[in-house]
Amino acid sequence: MNTPDIRVEKGHAEPEEVAAITAILLARAAAQPASPDRPHPKAGWRRLEREGGFRAPHSWH
């Protein structure tokens, strides 16, 4: 099959640009994974649907 691994969805990418992004993605994939004993960092955002409907005006949260 002659399907490319990377496809430009919008616009036009020069071969050098495709090569650069490919190199970045391959370097990122080859990077050492996170240590299994270290938990994932907590997200810095909250899901609003899980929050209570009211917060007191004097609360710090």
Side-chain angles (χ1 to χ4, degrees):
M1 191 171 252
N2 197 12
T3 305
D5 292 329
I6 296 177
R7 180 177 66 185
V8 177
E9 291 289 327
K10 235 180 182 183
H12 175 73
E14 298 295 324
E16 294 85 9
E17 294 171 318
V18 175
I21 194 67
T22 302
I24 291 169
L25 291 174
L26 288 173
R28 175 92 179 179
Q32 292 203 0
S35 172
D37 58 340
R38 189 176 65 178
H40 293 288
K42 185 177 177 183
W45 49 271
R46 289 176 275 160
R47 294 183 64 174
L48 296 177
E49 66 269 13
R50 293 184 182 171
E51 293 291 318
F54 175 76
R55 282 200 185 146
H58 62 275
S59 72
W60 286 84
H61 294 261

